Amino acid sequence: AERIRFILGEEDDSPAPPQLFTELDELLAVDGQEMEWKETARWIKFEEKVEQGGERWSKPHVATLSLHSLFELRTCIEKGSIMLDMEASSLPQVVEMIVDNQIETGLLKSELKDKVTYTLLRKHRHQTKKSNLRSLADIGKTVSSASRMFTNPDNGKFYCTFLFAYLTRLNFLFLPLSLMQLKNKFMKKLPRDAEASNVLVGEVDFLESPFIAFVRLQQAVMLGALTEVPVPTRFLFILLGPKGKAKSYHEIGRAIATLMSDEVFHDIAYKAKDRQDLIAGIDEFLDEVIVLPPGEWDPAIRIEPPKSLPSSDKRKNMYSGGENLQMNGDTPHDGGHGGGGHGDCEELQRTGRFCGGLIKDIKRKAPFFASDFYDALNIQALSAILFIYLATVTNAITFGGLLGDATENMQGVLESFLGTAVTGAIFCLFAGQPLTILSSTGPVLVFERLLFNFSRDNDFDYLEFRLWIGLWSAFQCLILVATDASFLVKYFTRFTEEGFSSLISFIFIYDAFKKMIKLADHYPINSEFKVDYITHYSCACEPLHPELDTLGFMEMFSFSLQYNTTVDWSSLTTKECLKYGGQLVGNNCEYVPDITLMSFILFFGTYTCSMALKKFKTSRYFPTTARKLISDFAIILSILIFCGIDALVGVDTPKLIVPSEFKPTSPERGWFIPPFGGNPWWVYLAAAIPALLVTILIFMDQQITAVIVNRKEHKLKKGAGYHLDLFWVAVLMIICSFMGLPWYVAATVISIAHIDSLKMETETSAPGEQPKFLGVREQRVTGFIVFILTGVSVFMAPILKFIPMPVLYGVFLYMGVASLNGVQFMDRLKLLLMPLKHQPDFIYLRHVPLRRVHLFTFLQVVCLALLWILKSTVAAIIFPVMILALVAVRKAMDYLFSQHDLSFLDDVIPEKDKKKKEDEKKKKKKK
């Protein structure tokens, strides 16, 4: 342990050792011909074997080694030649230096030098090669001639001369890269700086004791066709032994190859200074090995690679003198907050200076401003633009329609489109967190309805009154920015965040179903319909009977219709029939066939298809690039598929309708609201009171969404900008108030969807290894283009009219469900329905009694239910204040739960990081 601590803890400025590709070649007779080195297995992270007789690679699997092979390997390293930092540029040179070293140390008889050299320089046959090139075939003939010379004593005098000529001829095999190497698609699995480790094992008849060598080259060197892929070789392990132990040699080869793919031994191999360092590395590996009893497990079973690999950091930290990381909950937390909160977040530290936080935000984000544009140069950005654009347009239309109903069209769909475009584009260009998507929210709509009714009842000019409320609210927000009030966000723990985000997600899901049920009411289904009675169903237009003509339609149209003698009533459409005073007669007039059913097919189909295609990245079909592309464009593909199905079937489902003219919804207003003249002077001052409620609403909505977007698990690298975001929301509020446009604030679900559509993963991953989440593509372009497209949607009405509304409602349902993924609250809800033996290994279940977990979940459900009830009543205006009350509820939980329990149940650290720390702590205790 002391030796490994010295090796791994050594401070140096050199970069981290590169990824290793390890290849196992065995000396075998292929097709009954001469012996040659044949590739039998390879490793990056997991083992892949050449299937027996299958001419193909096996699935990647966890390498299972016998304990005996590891002890034999340790003996090999103890007794063999260890040559570290060898300077050589070709395989013949390497082989010559190894053989000379063995002779010098007395491990090899000098008369065997030529035979060993000849054996080690035999041709290499890789699994990728289906047929040998002509040049290799020629060399094969030379090899045959050489082998005959060994068996013919009369040719001894020519031996040395021939061997030199043979090696000179053979040298071209090792220096240039073969065409098959360059074409090998396996290179995509390796990082650019990868190096190779070659393991050569085999049995020969001329050795009495094993020939063992472990070599590390000073610089990685391309050794021609030695390796399957064109990667420079850094390590060589050679084991040649007497006949009869081929299986043992094979297992030792697998053992060293598996060790070279182990991250800790890999680092030791690069840093080792002598034999003892390598032996210490093997001993460390043996300390970590877990033995399975032979009678309870079949070694022939191949273990599938795990979905997430345990980090090797815990093993390295034990030796590298890393910090003694403590679990949250081991020590009391300051201020009585469990493990939650964002107190250690630099962006939320209070400066105590006027606009100090705002200035720090600007300084933090300014260096990244240029990269915020060129980082968007990726096909993934196009997928995100199309997806978020359709979500934003649908939201703008829905909200605009509701706003028009609430304000008698003083604000409508066009104002919603224009406001969304202007505010969103400016925010994405200049805000601190451009991944946030602005939108109007439910509480804003409730406030607008109440304000309009109040203005109408008291004869106030609604838009002017609203203007002053907006100005006061913006002024109050700017005061909050100047005084660094955003530091209060650090009191929002996971309890508050998940309560808010879950509520918004449930609202999205509920609204999607509500719109579909409303559509079903508008186009009712005839549940009494029987196919056999189809002749009984009818609906016809007939003139009103004089006795039923209470509205005088007959008199009104008698002159033009000449008592209905010149009009064919049966040929009129439904609208024409009602227009001319006719009546619809028949038992099928109330129903509209197929539309509701088709709409639900489109609705659920879009949702299901989106979910399936999003997960397609991890499926078994198609190459990796195609799977990733399909996953990135999942929502767009789903929309196109079901738009196509709708067009193919031809049912008249309700379609997306956008305004086609650029003018205010109400003819009574313009695009600029005059601040004076419509209301008494005291109204301008009194507006500050309702503005306070709007300020709380804006602050809570904006900052909770910002906290969710900036979560640590999203691995954002360019920092947040809470103060800068709120500053621009306030400025945009002034613009919207003067233009009579809706007020906008961060939208939780659409922002989460935006982040999900821009997540990045490793492009190269070892076979069997799951791609690693790298972070989010942080840039300003996708949001900016989305809002510009929203603005020009007025001119795209002829195209957008082909999109069925049920398809967009399906996208809403998808966004609501997808935003609940990874939310701990949902995981804890599922635990209520699971028997103990089937519950996942969540970190909090290891430390907190299940009854306490259920109690915490129950309290969260109660809070959520109260918020839902509040949202559904007239009292929804105080909804933001009640969100603020969640912080107080969480504070009160300090008296109900221990700090230990809260540190695991209410923590913003991702689960995997927590588990990593837990495992590390156990290991330290064990040591």
Side-chain angles (χ1 to χ4, degrees), residues 202-251:
E203 56 178 7
V204 290
D205 53 8
F206 55 81
L207 286 176
E208 295 176 0
S209 60
F211 176 93
I212 304 160
F214 180 89
V215 178
R216 183 181 70 204
L217 298 176
Q218 176 74 39
Q219 297 293 332
V221 177
M222 297 294 298
L223 297 180
L226 176 66
T227 310
E228 172 194 347
V229 284
V231 172
T233 295
R234 175 61 73 105
F235 295 95
L236 270 167
F237 178 81
I238 298 170
L239 170 58
L240 291 177
K243 287 275 188 181
K245 289 189 175 182
K247 189 175 188 314
S248 175
Y249 302 152
H250 170 75
E251 289 302 321

Side-chain angles (χ1 to χ4, degrees), residues 543-555:
L544 272 177
H545 194 277
E547 295 178 3
L548 301 175
D549 187 19
T550 57
L551 298 177
F553 277 113
M554 293 291 287
E555 293 183 14

Side-chain angles (χ1 to χ4, degrees), residues 633-751:
F633 285 84
I635 291 86
I636 302 305
L637 286 172
S638 301
I639 291 171
L640 290 175
I641 288 168
F642 284 92
C643 283
I645 290 173
D646 178 71
L648 196 65
V649 175
V651 174
D652 187 22
T653 50
K655 301 295 192 290
L656 178 64
I657 299 170
V658 297
S660 54
E661 291 183 301
F662 193 78
K663 63 180 183 182
T665 308
S666 172
E668 299 175 13
R669 55 159 291 181
W671 287 121
F672 178 78
I673 310 302
F676 303 105
N679 293 322
W681 65 268
W682 57 267
V683 172
Y684 310 141
L685 301 177
I689 299 170
L692 187 61
L693 194 60
V694 176
T695 303
I696 297 172
L697 185 154
I698 295 292
F699 182 82
M700 293 298 295
D701 256 13
Q702 175 64 38
Q703 300 298 39
I704 290 183
T705 302
V707 164
I708 293 167
V709 168
N710 292 308
R711 273 179 180 165
K712 290 178 184 177
E713 49 258 54
H714 291 150
K715 295 186 178 179
L716 303 182
K717 296 181 175 60
K718 297 184 180 180
Y722 295 95
H723 311 279
L724 186 56
D725 286 350
L726 189 58
F727 170 79
W728 279 109
V729 167
V731 171
L732 293 169
M733 199 171 183
I734 295 172
I735 295 172
C736 290
S737 298
F738 271 111
M739 294 184 69
L741 304 176
W743 295 320
Y744 291 89
V745 73
T748 308
V749 171
I750 299 182
S751 297

Side-chain angles (χ1 to χ4, degrees), residues 1-11 273 277 319:
E2 287 298 327
R3 183 177 286 272
I4 292 176
R5 184 175 290 111
F6 178 76
I7 298 168
L8 296 180
E10 194 175 15
E11 294 293 333
K273 291 184 170 57
D277 287 353
Y319 303 107

Side-chain angles (χ1 to χ4, degrees), residues 158-180:
F158 300 110
Y159 176 71
C160 291
T161 308
F162 172 78
L163 186 62
F164 177 79
Y166 164 66
L167 292 179
T168 306
R169 176 80 181 275
L170 191 67
N171 207 26
F172 99 97
L173 179 64
F174 299 106
L175 290 178
L177 298 175
S178 73
L179 190 62
M180 293 302 292

Side-chain angles (χ1 to χ4, degrees), residues 144-316:
S144 300
S145 305
S147 63
R148 283 195 297 273
M149 290 187 69
F150 279 115
T151 56
N152 189 349
D154 296 335
N155 293 333
K157 60 183 179 180
F158 300 110
Y159 176 71
C160 291
T161 308
F162 172 78
L163 186 62
F164 177 79
Y166 164 66
L167 292 179
T168 306
R169 176 80 181 275
L170 191 67
N171 207 26
F172 99 97
L173 179 64
F174 299 106
L175 290 178
L177 298 175
S178 73
L179 190 62
M180 293 302 292
Q181 278 180 297
L182 294 172
K183 284 185 175 181
N184 195 335
K185 293 181 180 178
F186 193 72
M187 276 298 291
K188 293 179 182 177
K189 299 289 183 183
L190 293 167
R192 291 177 183 275
D193 63 343
E195 295 178 352
S197 166
N198 293 92
V199 179
L200 308 177
V201 298
E203 56 178 7
V204 290
D205 53 8
F206 55 81
L207 286 176
E208 295 176 0
S209 60
F211 176 93
I212 304 160
F214 180 89
V215 178
R216 183 181 70 204
L217 298 176
Q218 176 74 39
Q219 297 293 332
V221 177
M222 297 294 298
L223 297 180
L226 176 66
T227 310
E228 172 194 347
V229 284
V231 172
T233 295
R234 175 61 73 105
F235 295 95
L236 270 167
F237 178 81
I238 298 170
L239 170 58
L240 291 177
K243 287 275 188 181
K245 289 189 175 182
K247 189 175 188 314
S248 175
Y249 302 152
H250 170 75
E251 289 302 321
I252 293 171
R254 288 184 62 243
I256 185 64
T258 304
L259 273 165
M260 296 305 290
S261 66
D262 175 69
E263 288 188 34
V264 176
F265 186 84
H266 161 272
D267 287 5
I268 292 171
Y270 269 95
K271 295 180 179 180
K273 291 184 170 57
D274 55 30
R275 184 191 308 271
Q276 295 306 314
D277 287 353
L278 293 172
I279 293 173
I282 296 174
D283 289 342
E284 190 279 336
F285 185 85
L286 282 166
D287 281 345
E288 298 293 324
V289 160
I290 298 197
V291 179
L292 295 173
E296 299 174 18
W297 173 72
D298 183 4
I301 295 172
R302 291 174 180 169
I303 302 173
E304 291 277 336
K307 289 189 177 179
S308 60
L309 287 174
S311 172
S312 63
D313 292 344
K314 62 180 180 179
R315 285 167 63 192
K316 292 180 183 177

